[in-house]
Amino acid sequence: MDEHEKNLLVEIFVSAGERESSLTGYPIAPGRILTARHGLLPDVASKARRIEVRWHEQTDPASRRWRRACVVWESEPLDAAVLMCRFPAGLRDRFGLPSDEPLDDTRRWSGAGIAAAGDQGPTATGSYDFQGRVYSAASRKTRFSLGIDDACDRHAWYEGASGMPVFIDHRLVGIAVARDPAAPTRRFEASPMRHMLADADFRRVIGHDARLARRDAALDVLTQALRATRAHALCPKLRDALGGASANPEKLAEALLDCPLEGVLGALDQTLEELPQDLAQPARETVAMILSELLPAIYDPSAMAGTAQRGAQPGAWCLDLPAGLRTAGEIIMAGLRARPAHFKPLPDRHSFPEPRDLLPSAPDEGFDSDGQALAQNLEDDLANLLGVGRIQAVESFLGRTFRPEREALVKSDRDRTAVRGMVRRELQTRATRERRSYYFLLDPAAVPAHGEAIASIKTLKEHYPELDFAMLIYAQDLDILGREEARFLPLRYLLPCLQEALP
């Protein structure tokens, strides 16, 4: 467990009348904290108890303030529970990566808990670090044992450590749930992560299956890209930029997937800067491909999970993307649709990446003069067109975009129905064969909450289920835009550019 992992340690306080309990937790997914069940006063009705959490090791007041939480999953046999709460803004994509690997007696573990041994005073809690040997258990058992190096001399010093994370090789393998009374102070009992992951409800609550699928798909593609001949010069430099990760392509791909977004962009930027000029350009093409697969796999999972949950609600007619920049919106859309993030070549190094498959935009097939004019009208006035129910104009645009030679033959409603089917088939083909999905971005201020606009969008969604309608809900928020611009600034210098020379 390194310093970055310890920075995420969560302190939990539970109260019900005169009863109180303190324990440790750890973020395991966006908006989800894993801890021990027994410390949550499980015999008290949920309405009668108050559960509060805070990120103990953070320094800024917003992250350290106490915030309410509630139980969304629990298991008495495993003595484990998952809490739901709103994470601090800067920590929404920071959590431990669970491992379902079997344990063996050759491994060593490390962890940290808000134990009495770490207290700074009568009213000031502190964290306390642990490490030791792992004692594996038979696969049917719901506990395994942890040896403790430099053990405390009294049980009381461990109070508050229940629920602390157990790490092996930077992966979360379980949580400490109790001390072993038969082994004085030199053993913890722990619940294995692999047993929790065998529970379908647990996996659903933490979004494990979807996140794992994104990661596995990205790992395969990244490994192949790093094995390619043109990546040979890139790998050693990238390994050094990531702090000495293995130069083995699969290990290097895993290191990229385990690194925070800012770290990945910084490492790739440093790598390109250190390459000779004659190698930098082919390496940049590899970097662009790496980023297209990597960004949706490591970007804020809470943004994708929240968007997917809201989009699945009955009556949902539009995807609300928690982003300000179109760059961020494209990454979220890519994660939702299990595809790479596609960006157009940058016009210059002063522009942020624009989504390639955002509609309306000039498609690869090109337009005639009428089609170009229609595209511009839609770009400027799509919300107004939908607001007055002009679905035909949008459908004509889609025909010109995806089946231009057939759109020219449309003379009747029956013809429109036929071309609509051809457009749908084209969208389905591109989604399955090319991993491309298309969407419209609407202006939140221009689309009313009710009325013809919503009816028009719902009709278009019925005609073209493969199309998405979305809004950047922070497009007018300068604070959000400022943070996203700072975060994605390196992309302006990493992705291919049509005009390298700067004025």
Side-chain angles (χ1 to χ4, degrees), residues 292-342:
S292 70
E293 296 285 346
L294 189 60
L295 289 173
I298 65 174
Y299 187 71
D300 184 353
S302 64
M304 297 176 192
T307 303
Q309 289 169 3
R310 291 190 298 272
Q313 296 297 315
W317 54 276
C318 186
L319 295 171
D320 292 336
L321 307 181
L325 283 180
R326 291 184 177 191
T327 305
E330 165 62 15
I331 296 171
I332 296 172
M333 290 299 302
L336 289 174
R337 300 299 173 237
R339 62 166 175 79
H342 298 301

Side-chain angles (χ1 to χ4, degrees), residues 55-77:
W55 272 249
H56 187 275
E57 302 301 305
Q58 295 298 309
T59 56
D60 64 290
S63 296
R64 274 188 61 82
R65 73 172 177 83
W66 290 99
R67 52 191 70 219
R68 292 291 299 272
C70 64
V71 177
V72 291
W73 175 88
E74 58 186 323
S75 168
E76 185 174 1

Side-chain angles (χ1 to χ4, degrees), residues 186-220:
R186 295 187 177 275
R187 292 277 184 96
F188 275 130
E189 289 186 349
S191 289
M193 178 58 65
R194 62 195 305 256
H195 281 23
M196 298 180 212
L197 290 172
D199 186 315
D201 287 337
F202 176 79
R203 296 198 309 272
R204 175 185 54 78
V205 162
I206 69 169
H208 180 74
D209 292 343
R211 198 164 72 237
L212 189 62
R214 279 199 299 267
R215 179 187 170 87
D216 288 348
L219 179 62
D220 290 342

Side-chain angles (χ1 to χ4, degrees), residues 410-473:
V410 173
K411 299 292 190 291
S412 66
D413 290 342
R414 181 178 179 182
D415 295 340
R416 169 59 58 210
T417 301
V419 172
R420 184 185 301 144
M422 296 175 185
V423 170
R424 282 202 59 187
R425 187 163 52 249
E426 185 67 23
L427 291 171
Q428 293 167 349
T429 299
R430 295 196 191 189
T432 55
R433 295 297 186 95
E434 303 174 28
R435 299 178 70 194
R436 298 181 70 169
S437 59
Y438 298 82
Y439 59 101
F440 289 104
L441 279 180
L442 306 175
D443 180 357
V447 179
H450 303 283
E452 287 186 281
I454 297 177
S456 299
I457 293 172
K458 288 181 175 179
T459 299
L460 286 167
K461 280 292 292 180
E462 291 174 2
H463 290 175
Y464 310 97
E466 299 78 14
L467 279 180
D468 284 310
F469 293 85
M471 292 184 185
L472 298 173
I473 60 178

Side-chain angles (χ1 to χ4, degrees), residues 360-380:
S361 60
D364 297 340
E365 298 87 352
F367 287 106
D368 58 18
S369 58
D370 289 340
Q372 288 283 16
L374 177 60
Q376 186 58 53
N377 289 338
L378 282 169
E379 183 75 51
D380 296 337

